[in-house]
Amino acid sequence: MAVILANFIAQKFTFFPQSIWQIILGLLCAMTPSLSSYIVNLDPEWFMMLIIAPLLFFEGQQTQGRVISQNIRNILRLSILLALITMFFLGWGIHHFLNWPFAVALALAAIVTPTDATALNSVNKGLVMPKGVLRSLNLESMFNDATGIVALELAIVWINTGHLSVGEALRKFAFVALGGIIFGFAAGFLVIQLRKYLLRKQFDDMTAQVMLQLLTPILIYVAAEEIGVSGIIAAVIAGIIHHEERSRTLLVSSQMNNLSTQLWKIITQVLNGVVFVILGLSLVPILKNIFAFRLEKSAGIILTAFLIYASMLILRYFYALYDAKRVNKEIPEGVFKDALVFSLGGVHGTVTLAMAFSLPLFLANHQVFKVRENILTVSALVILFSLVVPLILLPMVLSKEHEAFDVDELDQAYNEIVNAAMAYITTLEISDKRRQKLTQRIQTQRGYKYNKDPETWNQVIKQLDYVRNQAVENAIEDDLLSTDAIKLWNRMNEGKKYKQQNVKRIKKGIIYRHMLYRFWERLLNLFLTDKQKTEYRVKKYRHRIGKLEHKKECTVNNEERADVQAKITRFERKISLIQVYGDAEQKDRWIKAMKEIDDAMADDVAAFIEKVDKQNSDKGLVVALREKINNEKLNVRTQDIENQQNIDLMNVLQFELGFIKERNTEGKYSADLTKVLYDDIIAAQSIILEVGA
């Protein structure tokens, strides 16, 4: 719930990134008495297995194998050399200035060294990151976790035993890291071969196949840790192997690939949200500890955390300058900015938090690990500093990302697409009912009803009524309409006059009764047959006529009696109309009359819509006008509607794809906007084919 609320809040209030809001919600949960009692401490091993391993597996899935092979030296320098340099200098500084044992200082340095690319994405959103720097940060974060974890394990061994062999430490590190790479490659390859074998043998159940892929990082992590190699590196390598498999089987199992990709995106976003909420939860006891200390000690802990973070910034900055000079033989122009971005981009998050919680409560001699709380506090504060400082400084260094399109442009594009589609629908040789159903479904692409400007809308409707009246009058003068059509037209005009006379009454409250009546009518439609509905409506109108007859007898005023009689006449006319439509022959007769009127107005109305379309840049107005005209037509339900409407809809969606392509070719739609529109429509086509929606 905290993740859900934080994500919605982040959409509304964008001055903080999503991760900060998630931390804040975690803090609020921990400080709320009724909620804090439900908070449980998550075992670090479970945390690494269920959260860190899947996150890094997905990061690996987003990375091409050739990117790894082309940047192998850079990866080794960043994830091993830079990590070890950082740990050494931090450990020495903590040992020298805080008088901590070097083993304990190394443990804290190992915890705060690993970086987190996902946390970086939360603070650089909307900013243009240099591509080379961004690639280096992502590659660093995927592999330096293992360096930090191995260093922490060695530091704990040192704390417990009191000594550590450098040669043994190097051998262990090599075994853990190289073993993780080999195991991840082998395990990833075996899982892929298993999935392929199952597919060849027609074991292609999509749920089972996708679940197998979702479980892959967890199983690989557990197996790797059991044999003593790095489960983190194994999960990353397995993810990279799966990326290669997905790219090669794109057209073989595209639906499964698409489904698994979407699921992984959602899962990783949820897991990252959970991590930052947990960070917020864990900050409450940490902050309580800080405030429980004397002011000098509290300030000392906060200052220590800030100095550790500042030291890492300086180390990363000078490393970036050295690396640029090493590659280019001299410091190139603009490298100072890139070095600053690289140093600020070393954001800490999930792994740092997990490693901090993995510290033992008791040492090997059964003594309490006294500095554990201090290490947890400093680690959590370093994470916060690494999130807040880039949030402040990066916007000063980097330019804002230019949006390919905004929400208004997307809405306008959908209005244009729907308008073009509705114009295309009018050219299809289908029944009026199918056309109406089709236009109603196409309307939903806009996602909202058109917010009409009353003055403009009323003006357009008046012009439409004038065009219609002129067209029908001309048809009557030319003797093109039958007696039934003329009679129906006169009755329709009488209805319009009555409606206009009661506009003020509708505004005063009758509109609510009308809405309630419409709801009741729709409810009856669900349970009554056509014959029962006809009987119900006739009975209802006769009951009203009876009440009006009684009122008429009690009324002395002649003007009021005339008004009541007019109402009685209208209800009698409604009964007559219902009974006429209850007869199949009479119903066909009036439908033919309506068809004559529609045909008489068709050309003039089409020309009027085209004129409005050309004169108005706001296509929403034109779409609303088309919808009104379609809804006003008297239609008859035919047997082939349900069977044909999905086919009709597929044809219209295909037309829309062509329309979007034309707009893109003309330069009116950007590539990003075109992709979004294409993805929506193709996804809709897939759903229609899959479930017949």
Side-chain angles (χ1 to χ4, degrees):
M1 288 304 299
V3 173
I4 292 169
L5 288 174
N7 288 10
F8 283 139
I9 292 170
Q11 273 192 305
K12 179 67 176 175
F13 304 102
T14 56
F15 48 84
F16 284 155
Q18 200 174 75
S19 56
I20 298 295
W21 285 116
Q22 289 160 349
I23 292 172
I24 292 171
L25 264 291
L27 281 166
L28 292 176
C29 287
M31 290 189 295
T32 305
S34 59
L35 296 177
S36 59
S37 59
Y38 293 98
I39 296 170
V40 295
N41 292 322
L42 188 62
D43 189 301
E45 292 183 8
W46 285 90
F47 189 83
M48 296 291 288
M49 180 182 70
L50 296 177
I51 294 180
I52 306 302
L55 285 173
L56 293 176
F57 178 81
F58 180 72
E59 280 188 36
Q61 277 190 317
Q62 306 310 300
T63 308
Q64 295 179 352
R66 61 181 179 83
V67 173
I68 301 297
S69 60
Q70 291 171 358
N71 293 273
I72 188 67
R73 292 183 179 178
N74 193 28
I75 291 171
L76 292 174
R77 283 193 293 268
L78 290 170
S79 61
I80 298 177
L81 181 61
L82 176 60
L84 292 175
I85 291 172
T86 303
M87 280 185 253
F88 174 78
F89 277 103
L90 287 181
W92 178 84
I94 295 168
H95 169 67
H96 183 75
F97 292 105
L98 297 183
N99 294 320
W100 286 13
F102 196 82
V104 177
L106 179 61
L108 176 55
I111 288 172
V112 298
T113 294
T115 55
D116 188 340
T118 308
L120 170 64
N121 293 335
S122 68
V123 298
N124 72 347
K125 193 172 183 181
L127 301 173
V128 181
M129 290 281 288
K131 290 184 179 179
V133 174
L134 185 60
R135 182 174 62 249
S136 295
L137 289 170
N138 286 329
L139 292 174
E140 177 192 19
S141 66
M142 284 187 350
F143 293 98
N144 68 357
D145 304 337
T147 305
I149 291 170
V150 173
L152 178 62
E153 290 176 355
L154 294 173
I156 292 173
V157 170
W158 191 356
I159 293 169
N160 283 319
T161 62
H163 63 85
L164 182 69
S165 169
V166 176
E168 182 185 348
L170 291 175
R171 283 195 298 273
K172 180 175 176 59
F173 179 80
F175 172 76
V176 169
L178 292 176
I181 293 172
I182 295 169
F183 184 82
F185 186 89
F189 179 78
L190 287 175
V191 171
I192 290 170
Q193 294 305 313
L194 172 63
R195 290 177 57 225
K196 286 183 177 179
Y197 174 79
L198 292 173
L199 287 171
R200 282 199 301 270
K201 295 297 182 180
Q202 302 300 312
F203 291 100
D204 55 356
D205 180 78
M206 190 167 295
T207 302
Q209 286 282 348
V210 171
M211 285 300 297
L212 177 60
Q213 190 179 129
L214 295 179
L215 284 172
T216 295
I218 298 174
L219 297 175
I220 289 176
Y221 176 84
V222 172
E225 291 293 319
E226 283 295 318
I227 64 174
V229 299
S230 172
I232 293 297
I233 290 182
V236 171
I237 296 298
I240 294 169
I241 299 298
H242 274 73
H243 173 88
E244 297 304 307
E245 181 240 2
R246 185 175 61 184
S247 63
R248 293 178 183 179
T249 61
L250 178 63
L251 301 179
V252 177
S253 54
S254 55
Q255 188 176 9
M256 191 178 300
N257 280 329
N258 180 58
L259 176 61
S260 62
T261 300
Q262 298 305 319
L263 277 174
W264 270 116
K265 285 182 179 178
I266 294 170
I267 288 170
T268 52
Q269 288 173 8
V270 171
L271 292 180
N272 274 300
V274 167
V275 168
F276 287 112
V277 170
I278 290 174
L279 176 59
L281 295 172
S282 63
L283 280 176
V284 171
I286 289 171
L287 293 174
K288 284 181 180 177
N289 288 337
I290 292 176
F291 291 126
F293 298 140
R294 295 195 311 271
L295 181 61
E296 297 84 1
K297 189 173 182 180
S298 299
I301 290 176
I302 296 172
L303 181 61
T304 299
F306 181 77
L307 289 175
I308 288 173
Y309 173 65
S311 300
M312 285 191 288
L313 285 184
I314 294 169
L315 283 170
R316 294 175 65 83
Y317 180 78
F318 283 107
Y319 172 83
L321 292 180
Y322 163 77
D323 195 52
K325 185 177 180 180
R326 181 188 58 81
V327 173
N328 300 282
K329 306 302 180 185
E330 59 181 13
I331 297 179
E333 186 180 352
V335 75
F336 294 101
K337 175 183 173 182
D338 288 353
L340 180 58
V341 173
F342 178 79
S343 63
L344 291 170
V347 184
H348 306 279
T350 52
V351 177
T352 296
L353 187 63
M355 290 170 65
F357 281 121
S358 70
L359 289 170
L361 294 171
F362 299 94
L363 300 177
N365 57 7
H366 304 292
Q367 291 183 353
V368 176
F369 190 16
K370 294 180 179 179
V371 294
R372 184 179 187 272
E373 290 302 319
N374 288 342
I375 293 176
L376 278 173
T377 303
V378 172
S379 301
L381 291 174
V382 167
I383 294 174
L384 281 180
F385 284 131
S386 74
L387 287 168
V388 174
V389 172
L391 189 63
I392 297 170
L393 296 183
L394 280 178
M396 300 179 185
V397 179
L398 300 173
S399 58
K400 287 188 177 181
E401 192 175 38
H402 175 67
E403 292 185 356
F405 59 89
D406 56 22
V407 176
D408 291 337
E409 190 177 351
L410 181 63
D411 290 341
Q412 179 63 15
Y414 270 118
N415 280 330
E416 289 178 358
I417 293 168
V418 171
N419 182 40
M422 293 179 76
Y424 170 71
I425 290 169
T426 60
T427 66
L428 299 177
E429 294 184 1
I430 56 178
S431 67
D432 286 340
K433 193 64 182 179
R434 279 170 60 186
R435 184 175 287 108
Q436 185 187 38
K437 288 282 185 183
L438 198 53
T439 54
Q440 287 174 351
R441 297 189 73 179
I442 288 296
Q443 268 286 101
T444 60
Q445 281 184 290
R446 295 194 299 167
Y448 62 91
K449 283 288 185 182
Y450 176 65
N451 187 20
K452 307 180 187 77
D453 172 44
E455 187 176 345
T456 305
W457 178 252
N458 290 333
Q459 186 178 358
V460 170
I461 294 304
K462 285 179 182 179
Q463 293 172 357
L464 175 64
D465 288 341
Y466 177 78
V467 169
R468 283 170 158 174
N469 287 329
Q470 286 297 114
V472 175
E473 286 177 11
N474 291 337
I476 293 172
E477 288 179 7
D478 296 338
D479 201 21
L480 297 176
L481 296 181
S482 65
T483 305
D484 284 343
I486 296 171
K487 187 185 296 184
L488 179 60
W489 177 250
N490 291 333
R491 185 173 292 178
M492 288 167 65
N493 283 335
E494 286 178 13
K496 286 181 183 178
K497 290 177 183 177
Y498 173 73
K499 186 177 179 181
Q500 290 170 359
Q501 290 171 358
N502 288 273
V503 167
K504 292 182 181 179
R505 293 175 61 196
I506 289 173
K507 287 182 179 179
K508 288 180 179 178
I510 292 180
I511 184 67
Y512 300 109
R513 288 167 53 191
H514 177 70
M515 289 170 63
L516 186 62
Y517 168 74
R518 290 292 299 274
F519 172 76
W520 175 246
E521 288 288 310
R522 290 180 180 180
L523 196 62
L524 290 177
N525 288 340
L526 295 174
F527 301 102
L528 301 182
T529 64
D530 289 341
K531 184 178 179 181
Q532 288 172 331
K533 283 186 282 186
T534 300
E535 290 174 353
Y536 167 78
R537 292 174 70 187
V538 169
K539 184 178 179 180
K540 180 181 67 176
Y541 290 143
R542 281 181 176 158
H543 176 70
R544 290 187 181 179
I545 288 172
K547 291 175 70 176
L548 289 170
E549 290 282 3
H550 178 72
K551 183 178 180 180
K552 180 182 174 183
E553 290 176 2
C554 299
T555 301
V556 179
N557 188 293
N558 290 332
E559 188 175 340
E560 288 184 15
R561 285 172 63 88
D563 185 51
V564 172
Q565 181 58 48
K567 290 181 181 179
I568 292 172
T569 303
R570 280 196 296 275
F571 282 122
E572 287 175 344
R573 187 181 296 165
K574 285 184 178 182
I575 292 173
S576 174
L577 194 63
I578 291 170
Q579 290 173 338
V580 165
Y581 272 89
D583 181 82
E585 291 183 5
Q586 292 292 334
K587 186 175 181 179
D588 288 341
R589 171 185 164 191
W590 290 111
I591 288 172
K592 287 177 182 177
M594 188 68 230
K595 185 71 169 58
E596 287 184 49
I597 295 172
D598 284 343
D599 291 342
M601 297 187 299
D603 292 340
D604 290 349
V605 169
F608 173 73
I609 294 176
E610 188 176 351
K611 178 183 175 184
V612 174
D613 194 358
K614 288 179 180 178
Q615 291 178 345
N616 288 273
S617 58
D618 183 5
K619 301 305 175 187
L621 175 67
V622 190
V623 172
L625 186 60
R626 291 186 192 277
E627 182 186 21
K628 173 181 171 58
I629 292 168
N630 285 325
N631 289 340
E632 285 178 347
K633 288 186 178 180
L634 181 64
N635 297 300
V636 61
R637 193 176 293 273
T638 57
Q639 294 295 325
D640 65 338
I641 292 171
E642 298 300 327
N643 298 329
Q644 292 293 329
Q645 61 177 297
N646 286 334
I647 298 173
D648 294 337
L649 186 56
M650 287 291 289
N651 291 334
V652 175
L653 291 176
Q654 197 61 38
F655 165 81
E656 288 185 352
L657 289 175
F659 178 82
I660 295 168
K661 185 178 179 181
E662 286 180 11
R663 289 288 191 184
N664 177 249
T665 305
E666 294 168 357
K668 295 181 178 178
Y669 291 169
S670 66
D672 290 328
L673 178 59
T674 299
K675 182 182 182 302
V676 170
L677 298 171
Y678 251 68
D679 288 346
D680 280 352
I681 293 173
I682 290 171
Q685 287 180 324
S686 299
I687 292 171
I688 292 166
L689 290 172
E690 179 72 23
V691 298

